[in-house]
Amino acid sequence: HRSTRPNPQRKTDIMLTMSTSTTTSTTAATGRVDASRARPRPIILDCDPGHDDAAAIILALGNPAIDLLGVTTVGGNQTAEKITRNARSVLRLCNREDVPVHQGASRPLLHDVEVAAQIHGESGLDGVELPDPTVPVAPGHAVSFIIDTVMAAAPGEITLVATGPLTNIALAARIEPRIVGRIAELVVMGGGFHEANWTPAAEFNIWVDPEAARIVFEESWPITMVGLDLTHQALATAEAEEGIRRIGSELSEAFLGLMAFFRRAYKENQDFDDPPVHDPCTIAYLIDPAIVRTRRAPVRIETHGQYTTGATVVDLRGQAPENVHTQVATELDHAGFWRLMTEAIAALS
Ligand code: PIR
Ligand code: CA
């Protein structure tokens, strides 16, 4: 059962009422779709907030090219209970508690729960006192919400974005296999072809539930893997933060408070001078593909390596095969990314 509360801020509603005058337009010179005038892209964000997941929620809400239909949660950075509360608090902070939050898997398919408390703190979102959510968790499991939303929409309409372990997405694909052929695209923050962070070979989201990742990557849907090779370029530099500080709102200050904690954690644990803000790179790619360069390549998930469990094995030798359904993100326009992030915070302030 989904909420039918009227929602004046839903971008699709707004666009539908405007659709006689505003439709997708292509510029004559380039033939490219003008994203600012196109209908916003409906997405579901499956996440485990998490400092950078919070940034992904903010970017999705604050950019007119994206219509965030719902947030689904998965245990990852912290327990499912904690990160579900965090998702709701972030929506409150953005004055967008009309967006439903559906709680999902509380543990990986086979492995034990493993959280990233040293990076995200005991709450999962340490560094600021977030407001208590005023809207309850939406009824219905995250996996049901994903399936119902994708099956109710037209084929090719819904885009899935996953910024936590892939447990919910794998379960959804198994429970309702027709979603695989029905989504527009699946954008995953996870893995890396050269970079790793949780073990010498594995990125955290894939490491936590490698079997789920294997299920997801072995399905034929179009997947864009936004891995660490890309997200380690999304550094919250002093210059990037300065642009956000100038906004001077409750939201910008909360964002900077979260970044301050993330910065210390990343310095202590991984000796980064500036923290990489992974998850919103998925949203930036959807808003403006020119900000994230990609390359088509097959991806395999290691589930039982001696040292390499959780590795994403990407075949970058020569030309990709014709029928490959995966691509990997390679290069970020850093200034363009932070411009989007700053504009989104300003728009929600
Ligand atoms: C970030 C994460 C986990 C561990 C570290 N060291 C840093 C979380 C982020 O939320 C992101 O989705 C992904 N997992 C990066 O590995
Ligand atoms: Ca995450």
Side-chain angles (χ1 to χ4, degrees):
H1 176 75
R2 251 175 297 145
S3 163
T4 51
R5 245 174 303 123
N7 170 8
Q9 289 180 334
R10 269 285 306 285
K11 290 164 199 158
T12 302
D13 297 342
I14 294 163
M15 291 307 291
L16 285 176
T17 61
M18 288 165 57
S19 65
T20 47
S21 57
T22 308
T23 52
T24 305
S25 68
T26 47
T27 51
T30 61
R32 280 177 58 91
V33 173
D34 176 356
S36 63
R37 286 171 60 82
R39 227 171 102 207
R41 184 194 279 257
I43 73 162
I44 298 170
L45 177 58
D46 188 71
C47 59
D48 61 340
H51 296 69
D52 52 328
D53 300 83
I57 293 172
I58 291 168
L59 183 54
L61 292 175
N63 189 286
I66 302 291
D67 181 12
L68 183 60
L69 300 180
V71 173
T72 54
T73 63
V74 57
N77 286 326
Q78 262 296 351
T79 62
E81 286 68 29
K82 289 181 181 177
I83 59 89
T84 301
R85 184 190 179 277
N86 293 345
R88 293 157 61 219
S89 291
V90 171
L91 290 174
R92 166 134 195 233
L93 192 62
C94 296
N95 279 312
R96 286 301 310 272
E97 285 183 290
D98 58 284
V99 176
V101 177
H102 295 265
Q103 186 165 324
S106 55
R107 60 157 291 181
L109 297 182
L110 293 181
H111 291 261
D112 291 333
V113 170
E114 184 170 339
V115 298
Q118 60 270 59
I119 294 287
H120 298 279
E122 271 313 311
S123 73
L125 213 42
D126 276 14
V128 288
E129 280 293 326
L130 284 177
D132 285 326
T134 66
V135 173
V137 180
H141 195 280
V143 174
S144 304
F145 176 77
I146 292 169
I147 291 171
D148 293 348
T149 305
V150 172
M151 295 312 291
E157 186 156 351
I158 307 292
T159 295
L160 298 181
V161 180
T163 62
L166 290 165
T167 322
N168 288 337
I169 310 294
L171 289 168
R174 282 294 182 264
I175 291 170
E176 180 44 277
R178 286 177 297 172
I179 68 168
V180 171
R182 213 174 164 91
I183 62 160
E185 183 175 354
L186 169 61
V187 185
V188 173
M189 190 286 131
F193 43 86
H194 293 139
E195 302 271 308
N197 63 4
W198 204 249
T199 74
E203 179 280 329
F204 179 81
N205 292 347
I206 307 295
W207 165 266
V208 166
D209 199 341
E211 287 76 21
R214 182 172 164 198
I215 288 171
V216 168
F217 276 84
E218 290 188 3
E219 290 295 341
S220 62
W221 42 19
I223 301 178
T224 300
M225 182 182 106
V226 179
L228 295 174
D229 316 272
L230 187 287
T231 66
H232 280 173
Q233 299 168 52
L235 300 170
T237 57
E239 190 191 355
E241 292 191 350
E242 189 43 44
I244 292 165
R245 187 160 293 114
R246 277 196 294 270
I247 297 169
S249 68
E250 185 192 356
L251 179 61
S252 64
E253 286 306 308
F255 182 89
L256 292 170
L258 289 173
M259 285 303 117
F261 181 91
F262 206 41
R263 170 178 298 280
R264 277 195 306 277
Y266 247 101
K267 182 66 192 169
E268 269 171 38
N269 289 279
Q270 297 201 42
D271 200 25
F272 273 55
D273 287 330
D274 296 319
V277 188
H278 310 275
D279 294 338
C281 294
T282 57
I283 308 292
Y285 159 75
L286 291 171
I287 294 167
D288 182 0
I291 288 182
V292 177
R293 182 175 291 177
T294 57
R295 181 169 165 192
R296 285 158 17 95
V299 180
R300 296 283 187 200
I301 310 296
E302 183 66 86
T303 55
H304 53 256
Q306 189 172 6
Y307 303 111
T308 55
T309 297
T312 47
V313 180
V314 181
D315 190 352
L316 292 169
R317 298 169 302 164
Q319 290 265 328
E322 238 353 279
N323 59 351
V324 70
H325 68 101
T326 48
Q327 58 178 359
V328 297
T330 57
E331 216 178 298
L332 179 75
D333 169 0
H334 182 269
F337 170 75
W338 283 103
R339 194 180 319 120
L340 287 183
M341 215 44 249
T342 307
E343 285 170 2
I345 294 168
L348 294 169
S349 292

